[in-house]
Amino acid sequence: MHEMMLRILTEEAGKGNKPSSTFRAGSFALVAKEITAQFGVECHPSYVDNRMRTLRTMWSTIQTLRKKSGFGWDDNLKMITCDAKTYQEEVMAHRKHAKYLNKKIDFYDELAIVVGKDTAAGGFSKSYVDLENEPDNGDSAEFVADNVEEGVVEKGKNAVESSTTGSGISKSRKRGRAPSNADDSVLTNLFDQLKEIAVALKEINRGPVDYTALYNEIMAMMADGYSEDMLATAFDHLCENEKTARGFLAKNARLRKLWLDGFLFSQI
């Protein structure tokens, strides 16, 4: 998924769809469509946008290390170089930096185009411009899943407002028109769904999280094709984030899968 995302966005930049430091919305939609088709998972443009935040942070770290005293750069291997003593000191202070040191940085040229400021009219640019550091708060997967769920509620809310407004316009144009039974049925069903969501969210916030139940619900998703290792990682994450765990338990099966796909994509 990571490789496909970078490849497609590099091509999109070459087509002029990255006029500044950001891509056009259609580029993210294309990535989401291709990942969904290729890997059989439900991917949304918002997942791609969230993944971009992580890539920007990676890019900023790489450029900071390149400039740091004691580090060199091998342009042929796309590798940040340093001696053993410098390596040890850096890793002791920043353990996560080890993956960038004395190792080839995969897809460096693509990263330079995708999250750098180059627009790359053709071929890979060998220059780079430091990107402003945009920190990742670590909640990207949860943010996406929550936005999806909130989008369902907002869509319903707008539908009610639209129906009400439309009814008012209709009455002003055609006086005496009574709402049909079909209209009443749709509105009633919509309000019932919103009520169920509100009740579920209220109930899930009461008392401590039942982690045994959470584990069982997570592992039950093996039936949907997820591996035990993937689900165990998701369970550990939920155990560390009580609010997210409550939200997961409140979701229906479809929204749980949506959240899990977003979380797993963010871990790549």
Side-chain angles (χ1 to χ4, degrees), residues 91-162:
V91 173
M92 286 289 290
H94 305 282
R95 181 173 55 84
K96 292 184 179 181
H97 289 181
K99 60 185 176 182
Y100 303 119
L101 305 178
N102 294 330
K103 297 177 183 178
K104 179 181 178 181
I105 299 175
D106 292 330
F107 308 109
Y108 178 87
D109 287 328
E110 290 88 337
L111 279 169
I113 295 171
V114 172
V115 295
K117 290 184 178 179
D118 295 333
T119 53
F124 291 143
S125 172
K126 297 301 181 182
S127 63
Y128 68 90
V129 180
D130 288 338
L131 183 75
E132 293 82 5
N133 186 13
E134 181 178 342
D136 186 354
N137 61 13
D139 294 329
S140 57
E142 295 85 347
F143 180 77
V144 173
D146 290 344
N147 277 351
V148 171
E149 187 166 17
E150 289 171 6
V152 174
V153 177
E154 285 298 317
K155 183 177 179 181
K157 177 182 177 182
N158 292 338
V160 174
E161 292 174 349
S162 176

Side-chain angles (χ1 to χ4, degrees), residues 25-265:
S27 297
F28 287 179
L30 177 61
V31 173
K33 178 181 177 182
E34 291 297 320
I35 287 178
T36 297
Q38 180 70 24
F39 296 96
V41 299
E42 189 172 5
C43 181
H44 296 269
S46 57
Y47 295 172
V48 182
D49 188 26
N50 283 323
R51 181 61 182 169
M52 286 288 288
R53 298 182 186 183
T54 301
L55 294 181
R56 290 187 185 107
T57 301
M58 289 172 56
W59 180 251
S60 179
T61 300
I62 291 169
Q63 302 313 318
T64 298
L65 288 171
R66 285 189 57 174
K67 291 181 176 181
K68 200 168 182 178
S69 177
F71 294 93
W73 174 252
D74 188 322
D75 195 53
N76 291 322
L77 296 177
K78 306 303 178 187
M79 178 189 297
I80 298 173
T81 59
C82 62
D83 59 33
K85 182 175 182 296
T86 304
Y87 176 91
Q88 184 176 11
E89 290 175 350
E90 182 64 28
V91 173
M92 286 289 290
H94 305 282
R95 181 173 55 84
K96 292 184 179 181
H97 289 181
K99 60 185 176 182
Y100 303 119
L101 305 178
N102 294 330
K103 297 177 183 178
K104 179 181 178 181
I105 299 175
D106 292 330
F107 308 109
Y108 178 87
D109 287 328
E110 290 88 337
L111 279 169
I113 295 171
V114 172
V115 295
K117 290 184 178 179
D118 295 333
T119 53
F124 291 143
S125 172
K126 297 301 181 182
S127 63
Y128 68 90
V129 180
D130 288 338
L131 183 75
E132 293 82 5
N133 186 13
E134 181 178 342
D136 186 354
N137 61 13
D139 294 329
S140 57
E142 295 85 347
F143 180 77
V144 173
D146 290 344
N147 277 351
V148 171
E149 187 166 17
E150 289 171 6
V152 174
V153 177
E154 285 298 317
K155 183 177 179 181
K157 177 182 177 182
N158 292 338
V160 174
E161 292 174 349
S162 176
S163 298
T164 305
T165 304
S167 177
I169 294 173
S170 177
K171 287 179 180 178
S172 66
R173 293 179 179 177
K174 298 181 181 181
R175 296 189 179 185
R177 178 185 177 277
S180 67
N181 291 334
D183 291 336
D184 288 340
S185 176
V186 170
L187 288 175
T188 299
N189 184 49
L190 180 59
F191 281 123
D192 287 343
Q193 291 181 26
L194 293 175
K195 183 179 178 181
E196 289 178 5
I197 293 173
V199 170
L201 291 175
K202 183 177 180 181
E203 288 299 321
I204 203 67
N205 284 321
R206 294 181 179 177
V209 174
D210 185 341
Y211 289 103
T212 299
L214 176 64
Y215 178 82
N216 291 334
E217 292 294 334
I218 283 283
M219 289 304 165
M221 298 179 75
M222 289 179 66
D224 296 316
Y226 299 99
S227 72
E228 185 177 17
D229 289 345
M230 288 180 177
L231 295 176
T233 300
F235 175 71
D236 290 342
H237 176 78
L238 290 172
C239 288
E240 295 173 358
N241 298 271
E242 183 175 337
K243 183 178 179 181
T244 306
R246 292 181 184 278
F248 177 85
L249 289 171
K251 292 176 173 64
N252 60 29
R254 185 182 69 83
L255 292 179
R256 287 180 180 181
K257 289 181 63 178
L258 199 60
W259 176 87
L260 186 58
D261 290 338
F263 170 74
L264 294 175
F265 186 59

